Amino acid sequence: GINAEYMGHLLSVYFFSTIDMSIPNVQTQVRLMKRPVTAPVPGEHLVVYKNVPVPSAQSLAGTQVLVHNLYLSLDPAMRGWMSDRKSYIAPVAIGDIMRGGTVAEVVASKSSAFKPGQIVTGMTGWQEYAVVEEKEISPCRVPPSLSPSAALGVLGMTGLTAYFGLLEVGQAKRGDTVVVSAAAGATGSVAAQIAKNVLGCRVVGIAGGREKCSWLKNDLGLDEVIDYKATKNFGADLKKACPKGIDVYFDNVGGDQLNNVLRFINIHSRIVICGAISSYNEKEPPPGPSNYITLLSQRSRMEGFIIFDYKEKFGEALTKLTQWALEGKLKWKEDIVDGIENAPNALLRLFSGQNIGKLLVKIGEPIVSSSSHNASKL
């Protein structure tokens, strides 16, 4: 017994010294320094700070964990978190690190639940290193055959949003006609594929530009795709694509697209309000959908949802999403920008529709080597 214990002690001493050598002294962070009224301006609202001291492994207290962020998710919801208005989550405080979901590696830990080298997910923010409480992170559940970045997309909040929006709120079922706006976006593309490949719905995607529309039609196999940037008459194209009317509309856009969909909804149809990216950077709210009265004549409902309301079902949903991904029923694209200092500019791509699929920032490569990773488990 002594030998094994002594070996373990030697390994942990060796391990901690090697880890500390590979943790840099300084890092880059992005903070929210002013609330934007329209589109956030990099350098004014979101400000990059370089050469910020990195907390040392020795400074950890209680059950704290020091993580090194590998990927940061960029999401339309971040625009809302910058505004000081009534919402489902408090806004980011002025001067604070910008909030964001990440995939990270544990580099030092006072928690018995997490070991150095372990890959985790959490809201550890727009920075390279963070000290977190153990309850703020979770083990990454992505199968080894997939990139851990999938934990921010199809096997993370994005996939869960599509899953609960389509299945719980939208109550989509085989044979329904399902229309998805921003269908080439991270959430829209997962919702469209669940509808098509898992449920067996007729799926019509709305997207902007030839590249996105071609991906949706040729790679993802949607039944019809409408290019809202190229169409001369969106309403006519929508009607033609949905000869039997619309049963479920998964809306990420709002505005004119929503108003047109309302013209063609069936009795007892479900309109799922996931987002309204067309208006996030507007000073004044756009006019409401004038065709809303069809909700009355068609006895239909339009309902918003927040994913955190379903957290007790996250486990089963992730199990299903993982299974569908491994079966090839869900495909996804990642749009990856390098370097945390480029995150403020990259975020703007969401609002101009430049990204295809999941927009991510790659913050760094793992620094805990696999040999020490194994040693930490002895």
Side-chain angles (χ1 to χ4, degrees):
I2 301 288
N3 283 355
E5 247 173 77
Y6 183 61
M7 278 303 291
H9 168 71
L10 279 184
L11 277 168
S12 68
V13 169
Y14 160 74
F15 180 64
F16 258 104
S17 58
T18 52
I19 290 301
D20 246 15
M21 275 164 33
S22 52
I23 300 175
N25 297 323
V26 293
Q27 65 159 322
T28 300
Q29 297 176 329
V30 180
R31 292 176 182 269
L32 180 69
M33 299 310 288
K34 190 178 164 190
R35 300 205 183 282
V37 179
T38 55
V41 178
E44 182 185 348
H45 303 106
L46 292 169
V47 180
V48 175
Y49 289 88
K50 297 193 167 176
N51 300 317
V52 180
V54 174
S56 70
Q58 284 73 25
S59 69
L60 298 178
T63 55
Q64 286 181 327
V65 179
L66 176 62
V67 299
H68 170 222
N69 289 332
L70 306 175
Y71 291 96
L72 167 70
S73 173
L74 293 181
D75 306 281
M78 289 170 167
R79 180 60 190 81
W81 301 342
M82 295 180 211
S83 298
D84 193 5
R85 63 169 79 106
K86 187 176 157 77
S87 188
Y88 59 93
I89 188 172
V92 178
I94 295 296
D96 274 9
I97 305 282
M98 183 57 199
R99 179 186 295 145
T102 53
V103 169
E105 63 169 336
V106 174
V107 288
S109 175
K110 285 268 188 150
S111 159
S112 56
F114 296 101
K115 300 280 178 284
Q118 197 171 348
I119 303 296
V120 296
T121 58
M123 297 288 274
T124 61
W126 293 31
Q127 54 187 338
E128 292 177 280
Y129 290 85
V131 172
V132 293
E133 300 297 331
E134 65 177 5
K135 65 176 187 297
E136 296 177 83
I137 52 175
S138 311
C140 180
R141 291 185 40 180
V142 174
S145 60
L146 303 174
S147 162
S149 59
L152 298 176
V154 67
L155 304 184
M157 288 297 173
T158 304
L160 291 169
T161 302
Y163 179 97
F164 292 113
L166 187 72
L167 300 174
E168 297 270 343
V169 186
Q171 301 279 318
K173 55 193 186 303
R174 175 175 290 285
D176 279 351
T177 294
V178 176
V179 177
V180 182
S181 59
T187 303
S189 59
V190 178
Q193 291 179 89
I194 295 175
K196 181 76 192 147
N197 301 332
V198 178
L199 300 177
C201 302
R202 174 180 174 81
V203 182
V204 177
I206 306 169
R210 189 175 299 163
E211 191 188 356
K212 291 182 181 183
C213 291
S214 151
W215 180 58
L216 292 171
K217 192 94 169 83
N218 303 327
D219 295 359
L220 302 192
L222 270 54
D223 296 283
E224 294 291 340
V225 179
I226 300 171
D227 184 345
Y228 74 85
K229 288 185 175 170
T231 177
K232 302 274 185 290
N233 187 334
F234 180 78
D237 285 355
L238 187 62
K239 186 177 182 182
K240 193 172 147 205
C242 307
K244 294 182 176 170
I246 296 167
D247 299 297
V248 179
Y249 177 44
F250 193 105
D251 190 20
N252 295 299
V253 172
D256 198 45
Q257 293 182 22
L258 168 62
N259 205 28
N260 268 292
V261 165
L262 283 163
R263 296 166 54 194
F264 306 114
I265 56 173
N266 290 330
I267 288 183
H268 299 309
S269 62
R270 287 81 65 197
I271 293 179
V272 182
I273 305 296
C274 178
I277 199 164
S278 64
S279 63
Y280 286 169
N281 288 321
E282 300 296 329
K283 261 186 187 160
E284 296 298 321
S290 54
N291 296 326
Y292 80 95
I293 202 68
T294 55
L295 293 169
L296 184 159
S297 56
Q298 300 301 78
R299 289 81 103 190
S300 294
R301 68 180 164 87
M302 183 151 88
E303 187 179 344
F305 73 105
I306 293 297
I307 182 178
F308 305 118
D309 297 344
Y310 298 97
K311 60 175 181 292
E312 67 286 349
K313 293 185 174 178
F314 279 8
E316 68 179 84
L318 285 170
T319 300
K320 285 187 179 166
L321 287 163
T322 303
Q323 181 191 336
W324 298 335
L326 293 173
E327 288 170 355
K329 288 178 180 165
L330 300 179
K331 298 178 187 168
W332 61 95
K333 256 189 167 52
E334 291 179 335
D335 198 331
I336 301 179
V337 173
D338 254 318
I340 187 68
E341 66 281 1
N342 296 315
N345 275 306
L347 182 68
L348 297 177
R349 293 169 56 181
L350 289 171
F351 304 104
S352 56
Q354 285 170 289
N355 65 298
I356 295 196
K358 179 72 203 178
L359 187 58
L360 298 168
V361 176
K362 183 174 180 180
I363 297 178
E365 289 283 348
I367 58 169
V368 180
S369 73
S370 54
S371 60
S372 49
H373 179 183
N374 296 338
S376 72
K377 289 190 170 155
L378 287 177

